[in-house]
Amino acid sequence: MAGRVEVLRVNGECLEELLAVAVEDAVPEEVMPPVAGPPGWTTERQEAFRNWHRARRSGLAGPLRESTFAITHDGKIVGSARLALRAGHDVLETGMWLGRSHRGRGIGTVALRLLLDEAVRAGARAVVADTEAHNTAALGALRRNGATLTASQDTVDIHAELSPKKMPPPSPPTTDP
């Protein structure tokens, strides 16, 4: 992967650009909680996207105990990630999405490493993530960042646990579907 990847807290300046990436390069179900109504990026769904991110601006210390980040590649927003407090104050949950045209280039692997650095700064002892067995890109990024993966006995879900303070630099991707 060529280029610089960064994670920046979502604020009023980048929120509209993040929404534009979501609308142009993702489907709502990939990037936000469900919203009732017809499919696609309706006006209501776009406003719900904005409100969801605005509600998290106060970060981990705020009432929702969650922070959202814009993922940039060479200065351009290409997706979003989040960190949320779970199980007390030392376990964070993470999740992310990238616009479809930015997937498969190792951006997610680097963004996850940067989120783990944020978790260290927040005092986390562990970071957890959940994904599905068919999400090979997410599983690859998690593996390259040292995650312990556990498959569910009853579903296609995979649970990942990472120890951010003990993390080696991510291994380079061999192929990132």
Side-chain angles (χ1 to χ4, degrees):
M1 177 204 62
R4 181 175 173 84
V5 176
E6 296 179 284
V7 292
L8 311 168
R9 290 191 190 271
V10 173
N11 58 32
E13 295 174 26
C14 70
L15 182 55
E16 289 305 311
E17 186 179 348
L18 180 60
L19 175 59
V21 170
V23 169
E24 293 169 16
D25 212 12
V27 295
E29 295 78 20
E30 295 174 323
V31 305
M32 63 182 289
V35 174
W41 282 104
T42 63
T43 302
E44 293 80 14
R45 202 162 276 116
Q46 290 182 46
E47 192 56 30
F49 180 94
R50 287 181 187 101
N51 289 337
W52 192 86
H53 284 282
R54 286 178 186 137
R56 285 149 179 81
R57 280 195 189 149
S58 54
L60 296 174
L64 296 177
R65 301 167 34 139
E66 190 165 1
S67 292
T68 60
F69 301 85
I71 300 170
T72 67
H73 181 242
D74 287 337
K76 178 181 175 192
I77 293 177
V78 297
S80 179
R82 66 182 180 80
L83 286 173
L85 279 169
R86 298 288 182 257
H89 294 287
D90 62 351
V91 177
L92 295 175
E93 178 185 32
T94 191
M96 77 171 65
W97 64 267
L98 293 172
R100 290 181 180 206
S101 66
H102 301 283
R103 297 175 188 170
R105 298 199 238 160
I107 295 169
T109 297
V110 176
L112 179 56
R113 174 70 253 168
L114 296 170
L115 286 173
L116 293 171
D117 292 344
E118 290 285 337
V120 168
R121 285 190 282 281
R125 128 187 106 67
V127 175
V128 298
D130 293 304
T131 192
E132 295 178 344
H134 70 271
N135 191 340
T136 56
L139 293 172
L142 289 162
R143 280 187 189 105
R144 285 188 291 279
N145 277 287
T148 301
L149 303 176
T150 307
S152 168
Q153 297 294 327
D154 303 318
T155 68
V156 296
D157 295 334
I158 304 288
H159 178 76
E161 185 161 339
L162 301 115
S163 299
K165 293 181 183 179
K166 299 175 186 171
M167 294 303 302
S171 58
T174 51
T175 55
D176 198 7

